[in-house]
mmCIF file of all heavy atoms in Angstrom:
data_model
loop_
_atom_site.group_PDB
_atom_site.id
_atom_site.type_symbol
_atom_site.label_atom_id
_atom_site.label_comp_id
_atom_site.label_asym_id
_atom_site.label_seq_id
_atom_site.Cartn_x
_atom_site.Cartn_y
_atom_site.Cartn_z
ATOM 1 N N VAL A 19 17.272 -2.784 18.253
ATOM 2 C CA VAL A 19 17.296 -3.225 16.857
ATOM 3 C C VAL A 19 18.594 -3.011 16.168
ATOM 4 O O VAL A 19 19.241 -1.926 16.276
ATOM 5 C CB VAL A 19 16.186 -2.453 16.060
ATOM 6 C CG1 VAL A 19 16.115 -2.954 14.631
ATOM 7 C CG2 VAL A 19 14.842 -2.601 16.705
ATOM 8 N N GLU A 20 19.089 -4.042 15.497
ATOM 9 C CA GLU A 20 20.228 -3.909 14.566
ATOM 10 C C GLU A 20 19.751 -4.354 13.193
ATOM 11 O O GLU A 20 19.188 -5.462 13.040
ATOM 12 C CB GLU A 20 21.391 -4.763 15.005
ATOM 13 C CG GLU A 20 22.575 -4.677 14.056
ATOM 14 C CD GLU A 20 23.784 -5.521 14.513
ATOM 15 O OE1 GLU A 20 23.627 -6.279 15.520
ATOM 16 O OE2 GLU A 20 24.852 -5.413 13.840
ATOM 17 N N LEU A 21 20.034 -3.492 12.212
ATOM 18 C CA LEU A 21 19.676 -3.833 10.816
ATOM 19 C C LEU A 21 20.992 -4.346 10.175
ATOM 20 O O LEU A 21 21.990 -3.627 10.191
ATOM 21 C CB LEU A 21 19.112 -2.654 10.125
ATOM 22 C CG LEU A 21 18.652 -2.911 8.642
ATOM 23 C CD1 LEU A 21 17.473 -1.999 8.300
ATOM 24 C CD2 LEU A 21 19.779 -2.665 7.637
ATOM 25 N N ILE A 22 20.954 -5.557 9.602
ATOM 26 C CA ILE A 22 22.114 -6.163 8.953
ATOM 27 C C ILE A 22 21.795 -6.259 7.470
ATOM 28 O O ILE A 22 20.891 -6.900 7.054
ATOM 29 C CB ILE A 22 22.439 -7.507 9.543
ATOM 30 C CG1 ILE A 22 22.689 -7.426 11.026
ATOM 31 C CG2 ILE A 22 23.625 -8.189 8.839
ATOM 32 C CD1 ILE A 22 22.848 -8.741 11.764
ATOM 33 N N ALA A 23 22.612 -5.616 6.621
ATOM 34 C CA ALA A 23 22.349 -5.561 5.176
ATOM 35 C C ALA A 23 23.605 -5.817 4.402
ATOM 36 O O ALA A 23 24.706 -5.351 4.755
ATOM 37 C CB ALA A 23 21.752 -4.187 4.809
ATOM 38 N N ARG A 24 23.498 -6.537 3.284
ATOM 39 C CA ARG A 24 24.587 -6.786 2.367
ATOM 40 C C ARG A 24 25.047 -5.506 1.692
ATOM 41 O O ARG A 24 26.218 -5.342 1.427
ATOM 42 C CB ARG A 24 24.187 -7.798 1.296
ATOM 43 C CG ARG A 24 23.954 -9.204 1.793
ATOM 44 C CD ARG A 24 23.527 -10.103 0.637
ATOM 45 N NE ARG A 24 23.299 -11.468 1.073
ATOM 46 C CZ ARG A 24 24.248 -12.443 1.112
ATOM 47 N NH1 ARG A 24 25.502 -12.122 0.742
ATOM 48 N NH2 ARG A 24 23.962 -13.662 1.512
ATOM 49 N N THR A 25 24.103 -4.652 1.409
ATOM 50 C CA THR A 25 24.449 -3.403 0.681
ATOM 51 C C THR A 25 25.429 -2.605 1.526
ATOM 52 O O THR A 25 25.327 -2.548 2.718
ATOM 53 C CB THR A 25 23.159 -2.568 0.435
ATOM 54 O OG1 THR A 25 23.502 -1.387 -0.299
ATOM 55 C CG2 THR A 25 22.501 -2.202 1.739
ATOM 56 N N PRO A 26 26.396 -1.936 0.800
ATOM 57 C CA PRO A 26 27.445 -1.188 1.534
ATOM 58 C C PRO A 26 26.905 -0.017 2.335
ATOM 59 O O PRO A 26 27.556 0.429 3.261
ATOM 60 C CB PRO A 26 28.385 -0.750 0.404
ATOM 61 C CG PRO A 26 27.650 -0.838 -0.833
ATOM 62 C CD PRO A 26 26.646 -1.990 -0.618
ATOM 63 N N ALA A 27 25.739 0.493 1.969
ATOM 64 C CA ALA A 27 25.166 1.577 2.659
ATOM 65 C C ALA A 27 23.630 1.601 2.385
ATOM 66 O O ALA A 27 23.209 1.158 1.313
ATOM 67 C CB ALA A 27 25.795 2.926 2.300
ATOM 68 N N ILE A 28 22.860 2.145 3.274
ATOM 69 C CA ILE A 28 21.464 2.296 3.063
ATOM 70 C C ILE A 28 21.256 3.439 2.019
ATOM 71 O O ILE A 28 21.818 4.488 2.165
ATOM 72 C CB ILE A 28 20.670 2.626 4.287
ATOM 73 C CG1 ILE A 28 20.815 1.519 5.383
ATOM 74 C CG2 ILE A 28 19.196 2.849 3.998
ATOM 75 C CD1 ILE A 28 20.286 0.178 4.897
ATOM 76 N N ARG A 29 20.461 3.150 0.990
ATOM 77 C CA ARG A 29 20.184 4.195 -0.044
ATOM 78 C C ARG A 29 18.940 4.930 0.453
ATOM 79 O O ARG A 29 17.831 4.483 0.303
ATOM 80 C CB ARG A 29 19.971 3.535 -1.392
ATOM 81 C CG ARG A 29 19.786 4.518 -2.523
ATOM 82 C CD ARG A 29 19.617 3.848 -3.858
ATOM 83 N NE ARG A 29 20.880 3.194 -4.290
ATOM 84 C CZ ARG A 29 21.039 1.858 -4.276
ATOM 85 N NH1 ARG A 29 20.067 1.069 -3.875
ATOM 86 N NH2 ARG A 29 22.191 1.345 -4.675
ATOM 87 N N TRP A 30 19.136 6.151 0.873
ATOM 88 C CA TRP A 30 18.025 6.982 1.372
ATOM 89 C C TRP A 30 17.519 7.862 0.206
ATOM 90 O O TRP A 30 18.271 8.547 -0.453
ATOM 91 C CB TRP A 30 18.490 7.912 2.530
ATOM 92 C CG TRP A 30 18.932 7.166 3.751
ATOM 93 C CD1 TRP A 30 20.206 6.868 4.143
ATOM 94 C CD2 TRP A 30 18.065 6.652 4.771
ATOM 95 N NE1 TRP A 30 20.220 6.220 5.342
ATOM 96 C CE2 TRP A 30 18.929 6.024 5.744
ATOM 97 C CE3 TRP A 30 16.728 6.603 4.976
ATOM 98 C CZ2 TRP A 30 18.425 5.411 6.882
ATOM 99 C CZ3 TRP A 30 16.214 5.980 6.073
ATOM 100 C CH2 TRP A 30 17.072 5.398 7.023
ATOM 101 N N LEU A 31 16.235 7.820 0.060
ATOM 102 C CA LEU A 31 15.641 8.593 -1.045
ATOM 103 C C LEU A 31 15.280 9.983 -0.568
ATOM 104 O O LEU A 31 14.132 10.444 -0.650
ATOM 105 C CB LEU A 31 14.379 7.829 -1.539
ATOM 106 C CG LEU A 31 14.610 6.440 -2.109
ATOM 107 C CD1 LEU A 31 13.298 5.771 -2.488
ATOM 108 C CD2 LEU A 31 15.534 6.488 -3.311
ATOM 109 N N THR A 32 16.287 10.728 -0.106
ATOM 110 C CA THR A 32 16.091 12.036 0.404
ATOM 111 C C THR A 32 15.797 13.036 -0.669
ATOM 112 O O THR A 32 14.958 13.890 -0.588
ATOM 113 C CB THR A 32 17.276 12.493 1.240
ATOM 114 O OG1 THR A 32 18.473 12.303 0.534
ATOM 115 C CG2 THR A 32 17.396 11.694 2.568
ATOM 116 N N ARG A 33 16.519 12.939 -1.790
ATOM 117 C CA ARG A 33 16.295 13.841 -2.940
ATOM 118 C C ARG A 33 14.908 13.601 -3.504
ATOM 119 O O ARG A 33 14.189 14.533 -3.798
ATOM 120 C CB ARG A 33 17.329 13.611 -4.031
ATOM 121 C CG ARG A 33 17.208 14.536 -5.193
ATOM 122 C CD ARG A 33 18.406 14.406 -6.111
ATOM 123 N NE ARG A 33 18.327 13.121 -6.883
ATOM 124 C CZ ARG A 33 17.902 13.030 -8.168
ATOM 125 N NH1 ARG A 33 17.535 14.111 -8.792
ATOM 126 N NH2 ARG A 33 17.897 11.880 -8.727
ATOM 127 N N SER A 34 14.495 12.346 -3.577
ATOM 128 C CA SER A 34 13.150 12.033 -4.063
ATOM 129 C C SER A 34 12.095 12.655 -3.203
ATOM 130 O O SER A 34 11.136 13.215 -3.623
ATOM 131 C CB SER A 34 13.007 10.529 -4.164
ATOM 132 O OG SER A 34 11.672 10.205 -4.495
ATOM 133 N N SER A 35 12.333 12.551 -1.859
ATOM 134 C CA SER A 35 11.353 13.115 -0.929
ATOM 135 C C SER A 35 11.148 14.583 -1.119
ATOM 136 O O SER A 35 10.077 15.158 -1.116
ATOM 137 C CB SER A 35 11.758 12.829 0.528
ATOM 138 O OG SER A 35 11.758 11.411 0.761
ATOM 139 N N LYS A 36 12.301 15.307 -1.403
ATOM 140 C CA LYS A 36 12.223 16.738 -1.591
ATOM 141 C C LYS A 36 11.565 17.046 -2.890
ATOM 142 O O LYS A 36 10.755 17.944 -2.987
ATOM 143 C CB LYS A 36 13.647 17.313 -1.575
ATOM 144 C CG LYS A 36 14.319 17.286 -0.179
ATOM 145 C CD LYS A 36 15.769 17.836 -0.279
ATOM 146 C CE LYS A 36 16.419 17.749 1.095
ATOM 147 N NZ LYS A 36 17.852 18.216 1.023
ATOM 148 N N LEU A 37 11.878 16.290 -3.960
ATOM 149 C CA LEU A 37 11.231 16.557 -5.249
ATOM 150 C C LEU A 37 9.719 16.364 -5.173
ATOM 151 O O LEU A 37 8.955 17.038 -5.869
ATOM 152 C CB LEU A 37 11.836 15.614 -6.317
ATOM 153 C CG LEU A 37 13.321 15.884 -6.705
ATOM 154 C CD1 LEU A 37 13.825 14.853 -7.681
ATOM 155 C CD2 LEU A 37 13.457 17.266 -7.336
ATOM 156 N N HIS A 38 9.306 15.440 -4.336
ATOM 157 C CA HIS A 38 7.857 15.187 -4.193
ATOM 158 C C HIS A 38 7.118 16.288 -3.469
ATOM 159 O O HIS A 38 5.904 16.248 -3.336
ATOM 160 C CB HIS A 38 7.579 13.854 -3.492
ATOM 161 C CG HIS A 38 7.658 12.649 -4.477
ATOM 162 N ND1 HIS A 38 8.845 12.067 -4.861
ATOM 163 C CD2 HIS A 38 6.666 12.014 -5.148
ATOM 164 C CE1 HIS A 38 8.616 11.095 -5.677
ATOM 165 N NE2 HIS A 38 7.277 11.025 -5.920
ATOM 166 N N THR A 39 7.844 17.264 -2.927
ATOM 167 C CA THR A 39 7.200 18.387 -2.284
ATOM 168 C C THR A 39 6.984 19.567 -3.249
ATOM 169 O O THR A 39 6.423 20.562 -2.881
ATOM 170 C CB THR A 39 8.038 18.861 -1.090
ATOM 171 O OG1 THR A 39 9.278 19.398 -1.510
ATOM 172 C CG2 THR A 39 8.187 17.744 -0.107
ATOM 173 N N LEU A 40 7.536 19.415 -4.490
ATOM 174 C CA LEU A 40 7.336 20.455 -5.475
ATOM 175 C C LEU A 40 5.907 20.600 -5.877
ATOM 176 O O LEU A 40 5.069 19.704 -5.636
ATOM 177 C CB LEU A 40 8.193 20.132 -6.730
ATOM 178 C CG LEU A 40 9.734 20.118 -6.569
ATOM 179 C CD1 LEU A 40 10.312 19.586 -7.868
ATOM 180 C CD2 LEU A 40 10.215 21.535 -6.293
ATOM 181 N N PRO A 41 5.491 21.747 -6.479
ATOM 182 C CA PRO A 41 4.141 21.892 -6.971
ATOM 183 C C PRO A 41 3.776 20.747 -7.931
ATOM 184 O O PRO A 41 4.673 20.142 -8.579
ATOM 185 C CB PRO A 41 4.134 23.236 -7.690
ATOM 186 C CG PRO A 41 5.268 23.983 -7.023
ATOM 187 C CD PRO A 41 6.307 22.956 -6.670
ATOM 188 N N THR A 42 2.519 20.447 -8.057
ATOM 189 C CA THR A 42 2.081 19.286 -8.804
ATOM 190 C C THR A 42 2.606 19.265 -10.228
ATOM 191 O O THR A 42 3.074 18.238 -10.724
ATOM 192 C CB THR A 42 0.508 19.211 -8.874
ATOM 193 O OG1 THR A 42 0.045 19.152 -7.514
ATOM 194 C CG2 THR A 42 0.090 18.017 -9.628
ATOM 195 N N ARG A 43 2.580 20.427 -10.945
ATOM 196 C CA ARG A 43 3.072 20.387 -12.323
ATOM 197 C C ARG A 43 4.543 20.106 -12.375
ATOM 198 O O ARG A 43 4.973 19.361 -13.310
ATOM 199 C CB ARG A 43 2.798 21.797 -12.925
ATOM 200 C CG ARG A 43 1.312 22.052 -13.285
ATOM 201 C CD ARG A 43 1.164 23.293 -14.065
ATOM 202 N NE ARG A 43 -0.227 23.556 -14.432
ATOM 203 C CZ ARG A 43 -0.637 24.627 -15.132
ATOM 204 N NH1 ARG A 43 0.253 25.492 -15.564
ATOM 205 N NH2 ARG A 43 -1.897 24.736 -15.429
ATOM 206 N N ALA A 44 5.354 20.613 -11.452
ATOM 207 C CA ALA A 44 6.747 20.319 -11.452
ATOM 208 C C ALA A 44 6.963 18.830 -11.161
ATOM 209 O O ALA A 44 7.890 18.217 -11.769
ATOM 210 C CB ALA A 44 7.470 21.238 -10.418
ATOM 211 N N GLN A 45 6.262 18.320 -10.220
ATOM 212 C CA GLN A 45 6.394 16.869 -9.937
ATOM 213 C C GLN A 45 6.101 16.004 -11.140
ATOM 214 O O GLN A 45 6.820 15.065 -11.444
ATOM 215 C CB GLN A 45 5.460 16.488 -8.810
ATOM 216 C CG GLN A 45 5.843 16.910 -7.390
ATOM 217 C CD GLN A 45 4.931 16.321 -6.346
ATOM 218 O OE1 GLN A 45 4.722 15.097 -6.352
ATOM 219 N NE2 GLN A 45 4.392 17.133 -5.484
ATOM 220 N N HIS A 46 5.041 16.369 -11.849
ATOM 221 C CA HIS A 46 4.644 15.546 -12.993
ATOM 222 C C HIS A 46 5.600 15.621 -14.144
ATOM 223 O O HIS A 46 5.646 14.813 -15.044
ATOM 224 C CB HIS A 46 3.246 15.916 -13.429
ATOM 225 C CG HIS A 46 2.178 15.286 -12.579
ATOM 226 N ND1 HIS A 46 0.845 15.417 -12.810
ATOM 227 C CD2 HIS A 46 2.245 14.515 -11.464
ATOM 228 C CE1 HIS A 46 0.134 14.787 -11.899
ATOM 229 N NE2 HIS A 46 0.977 14.203 -11.080
ATOM 230 N N ALA A 47 6.432 16.736 -14.147
ATOM 231 C CA ALA A 47 7.488 16.821 -15.190
ATOM 232 C C ALA A 47 8.560 15.809 -14.909
ATOM 233 O O ALA A 47 9.278 15.392 -15.856
ATOM 234 C CB ALA A 47 8.053 18.241 -15.193
ATOM 235 N N LEU A 48 8.690 15.393 -13.691
ATOM 236 C CA LEU A 48 9.769 14.466 -13.274
ATOM 237 C C LEU A 48 9.279 13.042 -13.100
ATOM 238 O O LEU A 48 9.903 12.094 -13.484
ATOM 239 C CB LEU A 48 10.427 14.950 -11.984
ATOM 240 C CG LEU A 48 11.100 16.331 -12.024
ATOM 241 C CD1 LEU A 48 11.444 16.765 -10.622
ATOM 242 C CD2 LEU A 48 12.331 16.278 -12.894
ATOM 243 N N TYR A 49 8.081 12.917 -12.498
ATOM 244 C CA TYR A 49 7.538 11.646 -12.098
ATOM 245 C C TYR A 49 6.153 11.434 -12.752
ATOM 246 O O TYR A 49 5.338 12.320 -12.712
ATOM 247 C CB TYR A 49 7.389 11.509 -10.627
ATOM 248 C CG TYR A 49 8.671 11.521 -9.836
ATOM 249 C CD1 TYR A 49 9.085 12.738 -9.211
ATOM 250 C CD2 TYR A 49 9.431 10.423 -9.637
ATOM 251 C CE1 TYR A 49 10.238 12.776 -8.487
ATOM 252 C CE2 TYR A 49 10.571 10.424 -8.914
ATOM 253 C CZ TYR A 49 11.013 11.640 -8.356
ATOM 254 O OH TYR A 49 12.187 11.657 -7.643
ATOM 255 N N ALA A 50 6.010 10.288 -13.309
ATOM 256 C CA ALA A 50 4.661 9.876 -13.813
ATOM 257 C C ALA A 50 3.720 9.728 -12.595
ATOM 258 O O ALA A 50 4.190 9.499 -11.471
ATOM 259 C CB ALA A 50 4.708 8.557 -14.514
ATOM 260 N N PRO A 51 2.420 9.864 -12.751
ATOM 261 C CA PRO A 51 1.495 9.745 -11.638
ATOM 262 C C PRO A 51 1.613 8.369 -10.958
ATOM 263 O O PRO A 51 1.255 8.250 -9.750
ATOM 264 C CB PRO A 51 0.100 9.950 -12.261
ATOM 265 C CG PRO A 51 0.391 10.833 -13.472
ATOM 266 C CD PRO A 51 1.744 10.350 -13.981
ATOM 267 N N THR A 52 2.069 7.362 -11.676
ATOM 268 C CA THR A 52 2.245 6.080 -11.040
ATOM 269 C C THR A 52 3.283 6.036 -9.950
ATOM 270 O O THR A 52 3.298 5.142 -9.112
ATOM 271 C CB THR A 52 2.620 5.015 -12.171
ATOM 272 O OG1 THR A 52 3.701 5.536 -12.908
ATOM 273 C CG2 THR A 52 1.407 4.735 -13.037
ATOM 274 N N ASP A 53 4.236 6.946 -10.010
ATOM 275 C CA ASP A 53 5.275 7.167 -8.961
ATOM 276 C C ASP A 53 6.121 5.883 -8.760
ATOM 277 O O ASP A 53 6.465 5.516 -7.620
ATOM 278 C CB ASP A 53 4.618 7.551 -7.636
ATOM 279 C CG ASP A 53 5.568 8.127 -6.643
ATOM 280 O OD1 ASP A 53 6.570 8.684 -7.076
ATOM 281 O OD2 ASP A 53 5.343 7.973 -5.446
ATOM 282 N N VAL A 54 6.490 5.276 -9.840
ATOM 283 C CA VAL A 54 7.460 4.140 -9.786
ATOM 284 C C VAL A 54 8.686 4.472 -10.597
ATOM 285 O O VAL A 54 8.523 4.818 -11.802
ATOM 286 C CB VAL A 54 6.795 2.815 -10.293
ATOM 287 C CG1 VAL A 54 7.816 1.677 -10.258
ATOM 288 C CG2 VAL A 54 5.589 2.475 -9.459
ATOM 289 N N GLY A 55 9.843 4.458 -10.037
ATOM 290 C CA GLY A 55 11.086 4.748 -10.737
ATOM 291 C C GLY A 55 11.608 6.166 -10.489
ATOM 292 O O GLY A 55 10.870 6.969 -10.009
ATOM 293 N N PRO A 56 12.836 6.377 -10.842
ATOM 294 C CA PRO A 56 13.481 7.714 -10.655
ATOM 295 C C PRO A 56 12.954 8.719 -11.654
ATOM 296 O O PRO A 56 12.237 8.372 -12.627
ATOM 297 C CB PRO A 56 14.955 7.424 -10.841
ATOM 298 C CG PRO A 56 14.967 6.273 -11.761
ATOM 299 C CD PRO A 56 13.804 5.402 -11.412
ATOM 300 N N PRO A 57 13.289 10.009 -11.486
ATOM 301 C CA PRO A 57 12.856 11.054 -12.402
ATOM 302 C C PRO A 57 13.146 10.679 -13.807
ATOM 303 O O PRO A 57 14.223 10.167 -14.146
ATOM 304 C CB PRO A 57 13.593 12.251 -11.934
ATOM 305 C CG PRO A 57 13.923 12.034 -10.485
ATOM 306 C CD PRO A 57 14.163 10.582 -10.387
ATOM 307 N N GLY A 58 12.213 10.965 -14.730
ATOM 308 C CA GLY A 58 12.397 10.641 -16.111
ATOM 309 C C GLY A 58 12.016 9.223 -16.438
ATOM 310 O O GLY A 58 11.080 8.953 -17.228
ATOM 311 N N LEU A 59 12.799 8.266 -15.941
ATOM 312 C CA LEU A 59 12.507 6.839 -16.173
ATOM 313 C C LEU A 59 11.142 6.520 -15.668
ATOM 314 O O LEU A 59 10.492 5.586 -16.211
ATOM 315 C CB LEU A 59 13.604 6.026 -15.432
ATOM 316 C CG LEU A 59 13.451 4.488 -15.565
ATOM 317 C CD1 LEU A 59 13.368 4.031 -17.003
ATOM 318 C CD2 LEU A 59 14.593 3.807 -14.769
ATOM 319 N N SER A 60 10.634 7.204 -14.662
ATOM 320 C CA SER A 60 9.317 6.952 -14.165
ATOM 321 C C SER A 60 8.260 6.962 -15.261
ATOM 322 O O SER A 60 7.326 6.153 -15.260
ATOM 323 C CB SER A 60 8.973 7.982 -13.100
ATOM 324 O OG SER A 60 7.638 7.887 -12.670
ATOM 325 N N TRP A 61 8.403 7.858 -16.221
ATOM 326 C CA TRP A 61 7.402 7.982 -17.302
ATOM 327 C C TRP A 61 7.481 6.722 -18.261
ATOM 328 O O TRP A 61 6.414 6.325 -18.729
ATOM 329 C CB TRP A 61 7.629 9.269 -18.067
ATOM 330 C CG TRP A 61 7.013 10.462 -17.399
ATOM 331 C CD1 TRP A 61 7.666 11.395 -16.667
ATOM 332 C CD2 TRP A 61 5.602 10.752 -17.388
ATOM 333 N NE1 TRP A 61 6.789 12.277 -16.145
ATOM 334 C CE2 TRP A 61 5.514 11.962 -16.601
ATOM 335 C CE3 TRP A 61 4.481 10.236 -17.958
ATOM 336 C CZ2 TRP A 61 4.298 12.539 -16.324
ATOM 337 C CZ3 TRP A 61 3.260 10.833 -17.694
ATOM 338 C CH2 TRP A 61 3.197 12.013 -16.918
ATOM 339 N N LEU A 62 8.636 6.235 -18.523
ATOM 340 C CA LEU A 62 8.749 5.051 -19.364
ATOM 341 C C LEU A 62 8.158 3.827 -18.666
ATOM 342 O O LEU A 62 7.401 3.055 -19.252
ATOM 343 C CB LEU A 62 10.225 4.784 -19.727
ATOM 344 C CG LEU A 62 10.526 3.548 -20.560
ATOM 345 C CD1 LEU A 62 9.772 3.585 -21.884
ATOM 346 C CD2 LEU A 62 12.020 3.428 -20.768
#
């Protein structure tokens, strides 16, 4: 397999993956339960 992409680099959501391992209350302070969008903006 070769992945060919226009983007200059693959954007890995490693920080997001780590934040999602926080306790539930801490997660909900950053992410809405809908889990769409980055921290903070997710609630809007």
Side-chain angles (χ1 to χ4, degrees):
V19 184
E20 179 178 7
L21 184 149
I22 302 172
R24 291 178 180 273
T25 181
I28 299 299
R29 185 178 292 107
W30 296 100
L31 300 175
T32 50
R33 183 172 72 102
S34 174
S35 295
K36 291 177 181 177
L37 292 175
H38 276 84
T39 64
L40 295 171
T42 301
R43 287 188 178 181
Q45 286 188 49
H46 281 183
L48 298 169
Y49 295 98
T52 49
D53 196 28
V54 177
L59 178 57
S60 173
W61 279 101
L62 177 59

